[in-house]
Amino acid sequence: AIFLHSVILASTLKGFQPDMVAGHSLGEFSALVANGALSFEEGLSLVFKRAMAMQKACELQSSTMAAIIGLEDSQVEKVCEEIDEIVVAANYNSPGQIVISGSIPGIDAAVERLTALGAKRALKLPVGGAFHSPLMEPARAELEEAIRAAKIGTPVCPVYQNVNALPNSDPESIKTNLVAQLTAPVRWTQSVKQMLADGATSFTEVGPGKVLQGLIKKVDRNIPTESA
């Protein structure tokens, strides 16, 4: 539904000519349709296959995620590394806001330790899986063939991809990063910082709500943002 909303909204905008695009997790597929690299039909097919593959992976092992607010990224990463379970940083949403992902025992242990370390909030999220973690490896393996076979062309502007927060206009490299995204963290904070460093002067959120605008403002409160 979010993919459909974002893509349809982008298609109705008059004079929509972004200089660069980025999307958070699933939103990366919407961004690739918006910049012309991916057709709507191809994007919809990949999003459906991605959802099915991730659901299967979730059913293989009980897992979850938790939001951690008020600590440095390095503090969260260190705690995750020290736990003898699968638990990793999954979403770098904004400075001081990170989501971790992993096995239920691993997340429980991390929440306890991060709370003791001084996190303002350390809350388990109502999700059914450890997205953007090694536990999504079955989904990554299943989706890779579909992504490799997809028709992805040269975009009209670069996409800043989640896995490395760098601009990309090469179709094969875009595919590689889409595959890697299933088990790698969403580097949203780093992406916004890189876009600003590369000359972004304003951001337009094309989709439901204003969540991304809020995250961008936490990176740079003076940068103009708007909803499409």
Side-chain angles (χ1 to χ4, degrees), residues 97-110:
Q97 182 181 332
I98 190 168
V99 174
I100 59 175
S101 183
S103 67
I104 290 177
I107 293 296
D108 287 341

Side-chain angles (χ1 to χ4, degrees), residues 1-116:
I2 293 176
F3 171 80
L4 290 172
H5 182 112
S6 300
V7 171
I8 292 171
L9 182 58
S11 69
T12 64
L13 298 176
K14 293 182 179 180
F16 181 62
Q17 294 181 321
D19 296 311
M20 54 185 77
V21 297
H24 190 291
S25 190
L26 171 66
E28 191 160 279
F29 290 86
S30 305
L32 288 167
V33 174
N35 75 354
L38 195 61
S39 71
F40 169 74
E41 294 79 10
E42 196 88 64
L44 185 61
S45 175
L46 288 178
V47 166
F48 175 76
K49 291 175 181 177
R50 179 180 184 269
M52 294 300 100
M54 291 172 73
Q55 180 59 38
K56 289 180 186 177
C58 290
E59 293 170 356
L60 293 175
Q61 179 177 342
S62 296
S63 56
T64 191
M65 305 175 80
I68 312 300
I69 298 174
L71 292 176
E72 296 292 329
D73 292 349
S74 59
Q75 292 177 290
V76 178
E77 292 164 348
K78 185 173 186 295
V79 167
C80 290
E81 291 170 1
E82 292 172 347
I83 293 172
D84 191 24
E85 284 279 346
I86 294 177
V87 54
V88 297
N91 297 347
Y92 293 87
N93 286 334
S94 66
Q97 182 181 332
I98 190 168
V99 174
I100 59 175
S101 183
S103 67
I104 290 177
I107 293 296
D108 287 341
V111 165
E112 182 178 348
R113 295 189 192 185
L114 291 166
T115 298

